[in-house]
């Protein structure tokens, strides 16, 4: 095998490089007496075929066969189908086949029984390793394959300790060795061209090296790899941009692309080194209407079609959570007021289970709800069933036009075998027929299929921007390369090692090691230095930690220093022009008299006193956050339920066991929760029971008697222009003393300390003052908070002289409301906790205030 090194030529562009490849190949073939048209030139990637073909066409005459090892193997003959229990190359399908392989392994079944999640992870790693072994075997000559498997067995047998991971490696190796099909690559070893020529760029290709090493015909290796550590002066103009954060990095990357296009350097390669950043850059460029061709694609799981299908499956197989059903309804049905009303009903009444909705009459969107429940009923039944039956029911649930009009629908339906059938007798057919899954297993398998599948958007043709990985940008005629993510965490770290094999194992078995992967990435980076312009962009910090440059950039700079040259990295110039925007302060808004409500509640008064902007947003505009349909029980839910329990107990109390009657009241107050969700409430209530019984006994000994509870009251405490304004509220409880005095009691599940702080400044305690106004601020009133959750017992926290406080509150409210009626602008007066969790910060724009 002859080797010719193709280094960097000063001033040579990519087209010039390919012309040099064509000239060197033609001259060498002539010297060997081999015909050009019967020779094969193997290229690393299919994307390099077009520039290579143009270079040979420019010379005139016959062209050699230009191909990659994969495309040539496909052209030389079909690949045999995988039979049942053979490796298909489809990871989710092979995971189910691997599950069947391990059915008789005691250690595997023990793991499956004790830790199902760990077992699923073990299956994924087993399949990954088996695929690696199959690829490695296919890269060797047929005569050498058996010896390679024997050598692998000897190496693995040297581990005397073993363990679960080593057992999985053994299964993977024997699974790959048991596949008696001839790999597609065997056709390459049988092929007899007039000569083999392989172009090496980005590291050695084991299969191409094995073909050239046979020596049956003249062979030539064109080595285009560049030693990064000896590259003192790259061909490219290299510029570097340092960015403070993620958004700055994304915007600078988009600007760099636009600057290259404006300078006539098209097409531009946007290197997908950091996929998160590139997604943001793609969105920014899309706003400019810029056509882009994405060669990397993205997983099927991120497409709208996959999202819709997974929403259907979560509704059917997610255990009956209303949140899952609402998500499916909103994706599968047209928006409608009835559907919005159904969601509002669920949020308002905190309905979490679909069965609860089924039991209600006169639901909003009831016909739609019942139709969807009926359509997914075959999928919701429990039990294990064959995978093919799951897929049949899923296809029927999707309807006659499954996922119509959704991006990615064709790929999703193909990947899940909903729009095609497997070949008879194939591994896919066997798995679909024989694998039996429960609902959770089927949902997980569909997720794995969609994560493994790739979606490629439609190609806009000759797009000026091409999104591609670094390795596929090699030796292509781009006008410029833009590489965001040129930092130590993203560029130069190499690929991920195999999960079940150490680097020592990989080296012994001839599999790619991490060192080899890092060197291959370095070679790809060195090839990027052939481009006319290479723009490197990186963040300087990762959170609070400094983030250094990629070691590949450091190696490039070190090579220049060793040669006595200046650093090849030039600062990137952002050509955007800053635009000055004159501040335009907005005057404070005044409240129109027509906006004032006809009635105020205690919470509305509290909002007005905390901050007028809160009052304006909540009670004049009616803005509020949507209630969550979360499974976790909130403390306010517990408080609401506890109010109802205590009210039922006191209004229905009979002589006898107080504790038993309290438990009966708690059981009677249904909240629509299952036993698991209700358990925290029940535990809190059981802790409260003895404390409340003890407090109640002491209070009744002191002459306190329950008089009324959950009492709705209203009054008109104002005069003049506000004479018709109602004040409304619900008082938790009214007791009477032996002297006939009335006591307002308000249940609280918060801390005693916070209540004591609250009543220490009585004029700041709005709630009790409002309740006193509702009772006409009678002089015989007293008031207290009843803290129910204190570990020391139920504690009474008295509000002193509540009638006087109520009168001061009435006068203050009268003055504030009259000012609002007269058009006085609202001032954002909130402080501390009033602002910390306020949803109206966007109205008062407190975060944007300045001293000016």
């Amino acid at each position: 095998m002859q080797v010719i090194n193709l280094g960097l030529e000063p001033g040579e562009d990519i087209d010039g490089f390919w012309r040099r490849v064509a000239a060197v190949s033609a001259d060498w073939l002539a010297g060997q007496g081999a015909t050009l048209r019967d020779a094969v030139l193997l290229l690393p990637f299919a994307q390099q075929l077009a520039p290579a073909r143009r270079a040979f066409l420019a010379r005139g005459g016959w062209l050699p066969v230009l191909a990659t090892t994969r495309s040539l193997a496909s052209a030389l003959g079909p690949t045999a189908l995988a039979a049942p229990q053979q490796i298909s190359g489809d990871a989710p399908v092979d995971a189910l086949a691997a599950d069947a392989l391990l059915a008789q392994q005691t250690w595997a079944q023990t793991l499956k029984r004790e830790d199902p999640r760990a077992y699923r992870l073990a299956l994924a790693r087993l399949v990954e390793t088996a695929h690696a072994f199959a690829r490695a075997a296919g890269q060797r000559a047929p005569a050498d394959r058996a010896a390679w498997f024997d050598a692998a067995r000897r190496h693995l047998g040297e581990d005397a300790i073993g363990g679960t991971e080593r057992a999985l490696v053994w299964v993977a190796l024997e699974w790959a060795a048991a596949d008696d099909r001839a790999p597609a690559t065997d056709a390459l070893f049988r092929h007899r061209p007039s000569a083999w020529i392989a172009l090496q760029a980005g590291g050695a290709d084991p299969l191409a090296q094995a073909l050239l090493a046979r020596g049956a015909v003249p062979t030539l290796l064109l080595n285009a790899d560049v030693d990064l550590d000896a590259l003192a002066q790259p061909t490219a103009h290299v510029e570097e941009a340092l960015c403070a954060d993620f958004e700055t990095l994304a915007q600078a990357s988009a600007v760099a692309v636009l600057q290259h296009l404006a300078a006539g350097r098209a097409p531009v390669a946007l290197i997908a080194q950091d996929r998160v950043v590139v997604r943001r850059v793609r969105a920014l460029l899309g706003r400019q209407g810029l056509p882009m061709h994405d060669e990397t694609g993205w997983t099927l799981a991120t497409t709208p079609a996959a999202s819709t299908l997974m929403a259907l499956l979560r509704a059917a197989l997610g255990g009956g959570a209303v949140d899952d059903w609402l998500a499916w309804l909103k994706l599968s049905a047209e928006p409608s007021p009835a559907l919005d009303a159904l969601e509002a009903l669920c949020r308002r009444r905190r309905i979490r289970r679909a069965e609860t909705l089924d039991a209600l009459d006169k639901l909003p969107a009831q016909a739609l709800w019942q139709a969807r429940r009926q359509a997914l009923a075959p999928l919701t039944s429990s039990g294990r069933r064959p995978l093919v039956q799951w897929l049949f029911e899923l296809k029927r649930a999707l309807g006659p036009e499954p996922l119509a009009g959704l991006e990615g629908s064709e790929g999703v339906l193909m990947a899940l075998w909903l729009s095609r059938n497997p070949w008879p007798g194939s591994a896919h057919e066997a798995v679909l027929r024989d694998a039996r899954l429960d609902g959770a297993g089927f949902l997980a398998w569909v997720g794995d299929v969609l994560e493994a599948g790739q979606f490629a958007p439609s190609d806009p043709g000759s797009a000026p921007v091409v999104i591609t990985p670094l390795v596929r940008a090699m030796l292509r005629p781009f006008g410029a390369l833009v590489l965001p993510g040129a930092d130590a965490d993203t560029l130069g770290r190499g690929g991920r090692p195999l999960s079940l094999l150490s680097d020592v194992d990989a080296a012994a078995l001839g599999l790619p090691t991490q060192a080899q992967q890092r060197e291959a990435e370095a070679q790809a980076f060195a090839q990027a230095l052939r481009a006319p312009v290479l723009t490197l962009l990186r963040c300087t910090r990762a959170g609070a930690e400094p983030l250094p440059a990629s070691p590949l950039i450091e190696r490039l700079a070190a090579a220049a220093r060793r040669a006595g040259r200046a650093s090849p990295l030039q600062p990137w110039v952002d050509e955007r022009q800053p635009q000055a925007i004159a501040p335009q302060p907005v005057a404070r808004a005044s409240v129109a008299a027509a906006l004032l409500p006809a009635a105020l509640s205690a919470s509305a008064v509290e909002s007005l006193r905390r901050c007028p902007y809160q009052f304006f947003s909540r009670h004049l505009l009616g803005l509020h956050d949507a209630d969550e349909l979360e499974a976790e029980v909130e403390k306010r839910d517990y408080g609401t339920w506890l109010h109802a329990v205590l009210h039922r107990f006191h209004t229905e109390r009979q002589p006898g066991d107080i504790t038993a009657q309290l438990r009966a009241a708690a059981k009677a107050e249904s909240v629509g929760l299952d036993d698991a969700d209700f358990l925290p409430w029940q535990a809190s209530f059981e802790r409260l029971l003895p404390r409340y019984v003890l407090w109640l006994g002491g209070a009744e000994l002191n002459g306190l008697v329950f008089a009324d509870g959950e009492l709705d009251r209203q009054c008109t405490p104002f005069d003049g222009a506000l004479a018709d304004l109602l004040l409304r509220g619900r008082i938790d409880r009214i007791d009477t003393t032996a002297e006939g005095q009335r006591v307002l009691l308000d249940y609280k599940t918060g801390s005693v300390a916070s209540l004591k702080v609250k009543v220490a400044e009585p004029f700041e305690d709005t709630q009790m003052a409002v309740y006193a106004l509702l009772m006409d601020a009678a002089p015989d009133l007293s008031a207290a908070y009843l803290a129910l959750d204190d570990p020391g017992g139920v504690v009474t926290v008295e509000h002193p002289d509540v009638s006087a406080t109520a009168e001061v509150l009435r006068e203050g409210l009268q003055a504030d409301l009259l000012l609002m009626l007269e058009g006085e602008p609202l001032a954002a007066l909130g402080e501390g906790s009033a602002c910390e969790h306020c949803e109206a910060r966007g109205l008062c724009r407190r975060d944007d205030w300045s001293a000016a």
Side-chain angles (χ1 to χ4, degrees):
M1 178 176 64
Q2 186 174 349
V3 178
I4 298 178
N5 291 315
L6 302 175
L8 283 178
E9 292 286 341
E12 181 182 64
D13 60 8
I14 296 298
D15 289 333
F17 169 82
W18 284 110
R19 288 193 295 270
R20 185 151 59 98
V21 168
V24 170
S25 300
D27 292 344
W28 178 81
L29 287 169
Q32 297 294 322
T35 57
L36 185 63
R37 66 180 182 181
D38 296 326
V40 174
L41 173 56
L42 296 176
L43 304 176
F45 295 102
Q47 288 81 3
Q48 297 160 347
L49 292 172
R53 188 172 294 113
R54 285 196 298 269
F56 277 97
L57 286 172
R59 288 182 56 85
W62 291 99
L63 273 67
V65 176
L66 300 172
T68 64
T69 51
R70 182 174 180 176
S71 66
L72 182 58
S74 299
L76 292 176
T79 303
L81 283 173
Q85 296 301 321
Q86 289 180 337
I87 299 173
S88 69
D90 186 339
V93 167
D94 285 340
L96 296 178
D99 182 37
L101 283 178
L102 298 179
Q104 305 304 318
Q105 301 293 323
T106 305
W107 57 270
Q109 295 308 302
T110 301
L111 179 64
K112 183 178 184 178
R113 185 171 54 256
E114 295 178 351
D115 194 342
R117 292 184 64 184
Y119 180 73
R120 284 193 65 225
L121 180 61
L123 286 180
R125 290 176 171 176
L126 167 59
V127 169
E128 175 193 48
T129 308
H131 286 181
F133 283 145
R135 284 194 301 272
Q139 291 170 347
R140 283 157 176 80
D144 301 335
R145 201 165 293 139
W148 179 81
F149 277 113
D150 289 339
R153 292 187 184 99
R154 286 194 299 271
H155 173 76
L156 295 176
E158 294 173 358
D159 187 351
I161 299 177
T164 302
E165 290 190 350
R166 186 60 79 184
L168 290 170
V169 173
W170 271 106
V171 173
L173 180 66
E174 295 303 333
W175 192 12
D179 194 339
D180 57 1
R181 293 175 298 160
T185 54
D186 281 7
L188 299 176
F189 291 96
R190 294 192 299 267
H191 189 53
R192 290 293 180 270
S194 63
W196 285 106
I197 305 175
L199 177 65
Q200 178 176 306
D205 180 350
L207 179 56
Q209 286 190 327
L211 289 172
L212 268 60
R214 290 178 59 80
V217 297
T219 57
L220 172 65
L221 178 66
L222 297 175
N223 183 14
D225 282 336
V226 179
D227 185 0
L228 186 60
D229 297 316
L231 190 58
Q233 187 173 8
T235 302
H237 169 73
V238 186
E239 52 189 17
E240 184 183 34
L242 305 181
C243 305
D245 52 38
F246 173 88
E247 184 61 23
T248 304
L249 175 64
Q251 292 186 15
S253 302
V255 170
V257 170
L258 295 173
Q259 287 180 183
H260 289 313
L261 293 177
R265 293 188 284 268
V268 176
L270 177 60
I271 305 302
Q273 191 69 24
D274 186 330
R275 292 308 309 271
V276 178
V277 174
V278 167
R279 280 200 297 270
R280 177 61 178 151
V281 176
R282 181 189 177 101
L284 293 172
L285 294 175
R287 295 177 184 176
Q288 306 297 320
L290 196 62
M292 287 170 280
H293 172 52
D294 192 343
E295 295 181 351
T296 61
W298 46 84
T299 64
L300 281 173
T302 61
T303 61
S307 299
T308 301
L309 183 136
M310 288 302 291
L312 180 152
L313 289 177
R314 291 190 190 99
L317 304 173
V322 163
D323 220 355
D324 292 333
W325 279 93
L326 288 176
W328 161 235
L329 289 174
K330 288 190 286 186
L331 283 172
S332 63
E334 293 293 329
S336 67
L339 188 55
D340 294 339
L342 177 63
E343 181 177 7
L345 171 69
C346 295
R347 295 187 183 279
R348 184 173 63 253
R349 298 179 57 176
R350 295 187 175 273
I351 298 173
R352 298 181 175 90
R353 311 296 304 170
E355 296 81 2
T356 306
L357 271 184
D358 291 337
L360 297 180
D361 294 328
K362 298 181 180 179
L363 281 177
Q366 187 162 17
L368 175 65
W369 173 258
Q370 293 176 345
R372 289 292 190 269
R373 291 283 282 171
Q374 184 177 2
L376 300 193
L379 281 170
T380 59
S381 58
S382 59
R384 301 173 69 86
R385 62 180 83 172
L387 179 55
V388 67
Q389 184 178 349
W390 279 114
L391 294 175
F392 173 78
E393 298 294 354
L394 175 58
K395 185 175 182 179
R396 189 167 67 170
L398 287 171
E401 297 183 0
L403 308 177
L406 295 177
E407 187 179 37
S409 59
E410 183 178 352
V412 168
L413 297 175
M414 290 278 288
L416 291 173
W417 301 93
L418 297 175
S419 61
R420 57 173 177 157
N421 294 316
W423 285 97
S426 65
H428 289 84
E429 183 195 49
V431 167
L432 297 184
R433 181 190 64 235
D434 299 336
R436 299 182 64 85
L437 302 173
D438 58 13
F442 178 64
L443 182 61
W445 181 81
V446 171
D448 291 342
V449 171
L450 297 178
E451 286 290 344
Q454 289 292 311
F455 170 71
S458 57
D459 189 350
S462 55
V465 180
V466 178
I467 303 173
T468 188
L470 178 62
V471 69
R472 292 189 193 170
M474 293 190 302
L475 306 178
R476 295 172 65 182
F478 290 118
L481 272 62
V482 176
L483 197 163
D487 54 75
D489 284 351
T490 310
L491 179 64
R493 300 186 64 179
R496 182 177 63 87
L498 289 170
S499 305
L500 299 178
L501 294 172
S502 66
D503 243 23
V504 174
D505 289 333
L509 299 176
L511 300 175
T513 64
Q514 279 195 286
Q516 290 172 337
Q517 293 181 66
R518 281 194 296 269
E519 186 55 29
E521 189 173 18
Q523 290 290 349
F525 178 75
Q527 293 297 335
L529 298 171
R530 295 180 184 271
V533 181
L534 171 61
T535 304
L536 304 170
L537 305 102
R538 64 181 179 90
C539 283
T540 56
R541 304 188 70 83
E545 297 295 325
L547 185 58
S550 165
L552 302 183
I553 296 178
E554 299 293 347
R555 289 170 63 180
L556 178 63
R561 287 196 299 269
R562 284 193 295 269
R565 295 179 177 273
S567 172
L569 273 68
Q570 302 298 317
W572 174 70
V573 178
D574 188 349
E575 296 178 358
R576 287 178 293 180
Q577 297 298 321
Q579 181 179 357
I581 300 177
Q584 297 179 353
V586 179
R588 290 172 179 169
S590 59
V591 177
L595 283 179
L596 278 177
L600 295 177
S601 64
S603 61
V605 173
E606 178 73 21
S607 293
L608 179 57
R609 299 194 74 197
R610 285 165 66 90
C611 178
Y613 268 81
Q614 250 186 36
F615 173 76
F616 179 75
S617 66
R618 293 178 183 176
H619 303 285
L620 300 190
L621 298 182
L623 305 177
H624 58 86
D625 293 329
D627 293 326
E628 293 291 338
L629 281 171
E630 54 193 9
E632 294 82 6
V633 177
E634 295 181 353
K635 193 161 188 177
R636 67 171 181 170
D637 300 325
Y638 170 67
T640 302
W641 173 79
L642 189 56
H643 277 57
V645 170
L646 294 177
H647 180 66
R648 178 183 287 270
F649 162 72
H650 282 289
T651 53
E652 299 178 358
R653 183 179 173 185
Q654 300 292 329
D657 188 344
I658 295 178
T659 302
Q661 292 184 60
L662 279 167
R663 285 199 175 100
K667 188 175 181 179
E669 282 298 327
S670 172
V671 290
L673 296 177
D674 57 25
D675 292 341
D677 286 340
F678 184 70
L679 188 61
W681 292 17
Q682 185 65 40
S684 297
F685 184 71
E686 287 296 327
R687 288 194 300 270
L688 169 65
L689 264 179
R691 303 170 189 166
Y692 189 76
V693 170
L694 181 63
W695 173 85
L696 184 61
E700 291 180 342
L701 283 176
N702 291 326
L704 205 63
V705 179
F706 175 83
D708 205 348
E710 301 299 325
L711 183 65
D712 289 319
R713 296 274 296 183
Q714 67 181 36
C715 65
T716 53
F718 310 113
D719 52 32
L722 300 172
D724 295 331
L725 183 61
L726 290 175
L727 189 64
R728 290 175 177 169
R730 170 173 288 190
I731 301 172
D732 287 356
R733 176 172 170 176
I734 301 175
D735 283 14
T736 58
T737 66
E739 296 79 16
Q741 185 182 21
R742 291 176 297 174
V743 182
L744 305 180
L745 291 177
D746 193 75
Y747 300 126
K748 293 295 182 185
T749 56
S751 69
V752 173
S754 63
L755 291 175
K756 289 181 177 179
V757 170
K758 188 174 186 179
V759 299
E761 297 287 343
F763 294 119
E764 297 297 324
D765 183 9
T766 303
Q767 186 175 5
M768 278 303 184
V770 169
Y771 288 170
L773 283 176
L774 292 173
M775 300 298 294
D776 300 324
D780 67 333
L781 280 178
S782 63
Y785 291 108
L786 207 58
L788 302 174
D789 267 3
D790 191 75
V794 176
V795 180
T796 303
V797 182
E798 186 178 357
H799 179 111
D801 201 2
V802 71
S803 295
T805 305
E807 185 59 31
V808 173
L809 174 69
R810 189 198 69 77
E811 293 175 0
L813 281 176
Q814 173 100 9
D816 290 343
L817 293 171
L818 284 175
L819 286 175
M820 293 171 63
L821 283 178
E822 294 169 1
E824 180 72 16
L826 297 178
L829 302 176
E831 295 178 353
S833 61
C835 293
E836 188 174 350
H837 304 292
C838 179
E839 69 276 13
R841 289 181 83 123
L843 288 177
C844 73
R845 298 179 295 280
R846 185 180 185 89
D847 295 323
D848 301 316
W849 289 359
S850 65

